Structures are given as C-alpha cells and as structure tokens.
Amino acid sequence: MRTHWRSAAVAAAALGLAVSPVGGGAGAAYAWGAAAPARQAVPALTVPVPAPTPAAGEFPQLTPAVARELDTAIRKVMTEAKVPGVIVALSAPGKGTYIRSFGVADKATGMPMSPGLNTRIGSETKTFTVTALLQLVDEGKAGLDDPIGKYVDGVPNGDRITLRELAGMRSGLFNYSADEDFGKAFLSDPSRPFTPQQLLAYSFKHPVLFEPNAKFDYSNTNLILLGLVVEKVTGQRLDDYINREVVAAAGLKHTLFPVGAEFPSPHAQGYTDQTLSGKTANATDWNPSWGWAAGAMISNLSDLRSWAKTVATGTLLTPATQAERLKVVPSLPGAGYGLGIFNVQGWIGHNGSLPGYQSLTVYLPGPQATLVVLLNTDTDYRGNEPSTLFGQAITKIVTPDHVFTLPAQPVTGH
C-alpha cells in the first residue's frame, strides 16, 4: 500500500515502499480486512489457487498473435499512466516465453529499456527477509509464535506481538514510513542513511493502532523488526546473511541487499513525484537504507523470474513451513496476505515500490506461470499503482479467470 500525505509545504508520503496487495493510491493508511475482536485469532485460510493440472485453455500458447495483443495492452497502459519504460516477462512450461521491453530507461538520453537492466525492487525485499526468518524457524533457532520482545527490547506490546503477526502484517504497530517527520527528513536529504533504530523511533512515538492480531494493517515497521531478529539470531549483518543464505542459495546472480546507495550498472533512471515540491525528480541514486529489511534490495528480470517460483513453491523451506507461509487472511474478493507474501486471484508473490521504481513478481501454480513486471516510475495513475495496471492488463489476456486485480484507494489532495 502506498500512502501519501500532501500539504501546502510538503508533498511527502509513506514513500512508495509501503506496497501491499491492497492497491495504490493516496490518502490515509488503509487497514486491509475487517477487524476481529482483540486477541482473537484472525482465521488463516488459503485463498483457492488453480489445480496442479491446468484445465484445457487455462493458459494460452504465447504465439505471435498473443504477443501482439500483449504488446498493445502494455503500450496502452504506458501511454495512459505516462510510464517512461517497462520490462515484462511472462512464461509457462510448454506455453512459450514472452519477454519485451518498452520505452526509455533514461528520459534525458533516450536510452531504451532492455531486459538486462538492474532495478530497485522495493517491498519485494520482504519476501527475502521473511524467507530468511522462516529458514531460521526450520532450523529451530526461532519460532513463529515467539514474542518480538524476546529478541528486541522496547517494542510496544512486544511481550504479545509474535513474529508470525509481524510477518503477516497484523501487529498493530504504526508504519514508520507514514510518519510526517520521517517524510520530511528523508525528502529533505534523500541521500542520507537511516539505521533500523532510527526508523523504529519514528514508529514507536505513535500509539499502537490495535491489539496484536486484531486485523491486517500493512506496516514496514514489522519488517524492520524481523530484520533485527535475523541479525540477533545469526549474529550477522542482515545484508550479509540474506546475500549468502537466501540470494546465493536460490542461485540468483544479479540480486543484492545493498549496504548503502550502491546500484550496479546497467540500470534505468527512476522517476518519482514523491518530492518536497511535488514535482517529478530523478530518484535513481536515493539511498534505500530507509527501507532496509522492508525494501532496500536490487535485482533484475532473470533473477526475479527464478525467484517467483522459488518463493511461491518454498524451494528454500520445508513443506510444513511453506504451508504456514501461504496461509493467508482473506480480505478482498479472491485476495489475501500470508507471511510476507500475497495471493491475488491465485497469483502468489509480492509487488514493490519506492521512489523511482515499481515491480511485480508473481507465480500461478496451476499452469506454473511466472509474470514479472519492472518499471522506472512509482507515480500513481488515478490512484492506481502502474505495476498493478500492467499486471491486470496482462492477466486479462492470458488468465481471464485469474485477473490480477487490486482496487484503487481513495485519493486525497493529490
């Protein structure tokens, strides 16, 4: 979920990183799903997904005719949403592969987008951080129902909020990136580094929003805490641990948890309207440390195509732990959120957004289809995140029974 705040002096936000399957838009922070009585468990159910063997015609052959239809739909979204450039990969075993790039990677030079570019992936980082946590659960070094206070001191309700509730966005902790002072601090100097402790301070000055597990509310604060858990349990820096135990273990060659603002070439320039003036700016070299465990990572198309299946099928986890991950709380028709992962109309994965970039990486189990969309802007179009618009346009063509749909949120003063 992207949450913006706009005022006469400042046009800042929850800064795009706060992406969830609720959809984009400006305005207040929206809780996803109806509230349950305090401390009463929210029913964890798995949103139905396609059967292992796809029905005839469920996923089409990616013929030249289908490719032309996809080209047209993607270009239409680009034009309407004013997206500078986008890269798309769609494939399924026995059905062919569609890989295209459209538009420009750099508006100043006209350099075209291309499939080999690196990109910032924002909240897709959450899938890596939660995978690291679940690996530690598999090793018996942490428990999903451990209270966060066992690992991190000073957390409001820390004796009652569990690691499961943090990963499932049901902690009730205020989202630090929705704090007005944080927005001003970041946008006044986008190159500045933030520590996890500084980020948590922006959250903890606010009262808790609700009792643990009472309802869903997407909060980057949850992932900062889980990153600290990984560091506490392993005795290692989070970036080192994830780069070795998750990225390398998954066989990814172009994925990185950066220490600072480093951004391997080649990459597209990223454009955002999340600025103090509200005018579009180049955010390519902004320091993503403010996202840390919730959104700092970098990847590329080929790695994300591989990661889509890895994270959705649980390659790095035991079957029992992966089953826990995929238990989602239904909140919108056909959609729900599990442990650092969503299921939207059967598509399993996550999206990502931070100033300048958006991404969508999802997997449909029945036909074993993978869809990755990467673009170099995070500017909303009529309250919708452009990555969602691309996902919807593409899936309407190839999986009309499983259309990736997230409703737009109300826009306020934007």
Side-chain angles (χ1 to χ4, degrees), residues 34-48:
R39 292 307 299 162
Q40 181 175 336
V42 177
L45 302 173
T46 301
V47 173

Side-chain angles (χ1 to χ4, degrees), residues 140-163:
K141 297 177 180 178
L144 280 173
D145 297 313
D146 290 347
I148 184 60
K150 177 179 177 181
Y151 305 94
V152 181
D153 295 331
V155 181
N157 283 341
D159 60 332
R160 295 186 293 132
I161 296 171
T162 66
L163 305 188

Side-chain angles (χ1 to χ4, degrees), residues 74 78 83-88 100-102 113 373-375 390:
I74 291 166
M78 283 187 71
V83 173
V86 63
I87 307 166
V88 175
R100 292 281 199 279
S101 56
F102 303 82
M113 289 291 271
V373 180
L374 307 175
L375 52 149
F390 285 115

Side-chain angles (χ1 to χ4, degrees), residues 84 107 270-275 277-283 286 377 379:
K107 293 195 291 186
Y271 303 95
T272 186
D273 66 349
Q274 295 194 68
T275 60
S277 66
K279 296 180 180 179
T280 298
N282 187 319
W286 289 12
T377 183
T379 300

Side-chain angles (χ1 to χ4, degrees), residues 210-263:
F210 49 82
E211 285 294 297
N213 209 33
K215 59 184 177 181
F216 179 100
D217 186 72
Y218 193 85
S219 174
N220 291 319
T221 303
N222 298 333
L223 269 291
I224 302 303
L225 289 168
L226 292 182
L228 291 175
V229 171
V230 173
E231 291 196 332
K232 176 80 170 181
V233 172
T234 65
Q236 301 173 43
R237 288 171 53 102
L238 181 65
D239 55 286
D240 288 339
Y241 187 83
I242 286 182
N243 285 334
R244 185 181 65 255
E245 300 297 334
V246 181
V247 172
L252 307 181
K253 305 298 185 184
H254 304 281
T255 301
L256 171 69
F257 194 124
V259 176
E262 64 267 29
F263 195 173

Side-chain angles (χ1 to χ4, degrees), residues 334 344-347 391-397 399-406:
V344 177
Q345 298 292 342
W347 289 95
Q392 181 175 343
I394 292 163
T395 56
K396 277 184 176 179
I397 294 169
T399 55
D401 293 332
H402 303 280
V403 176
F404 187 89
T405 303
L406 296 173

Side-chain angles (χ1 to χ4, degrees), residues 29 67 100 109 196 225 230 284 326-327 332 371 395 407 413-414:
R100 292 281 199 279
T109 67
L225 289 168
V230 173
T284 307
L326 295 182
K327 290 179 181 177
L332 299 171
L371 171 63
T395 56
H414 179 51

Side-chain angles (χ1 to χ4, degrees), residues 175-201:
N175 185 359
Y176 71 85
S177 57
D179 177 80
E180 187 165 320
D181 291 335
F182 167 77
K184 290 177 180 177
F186 176 70
L187 293 180
S188 65
D189 181 11
S191 65
R192 66 169 289 182
F194 287 88
T195 67
Q197 291 72 26
Q198 289 172 327
L199 300 174
L200 293 177

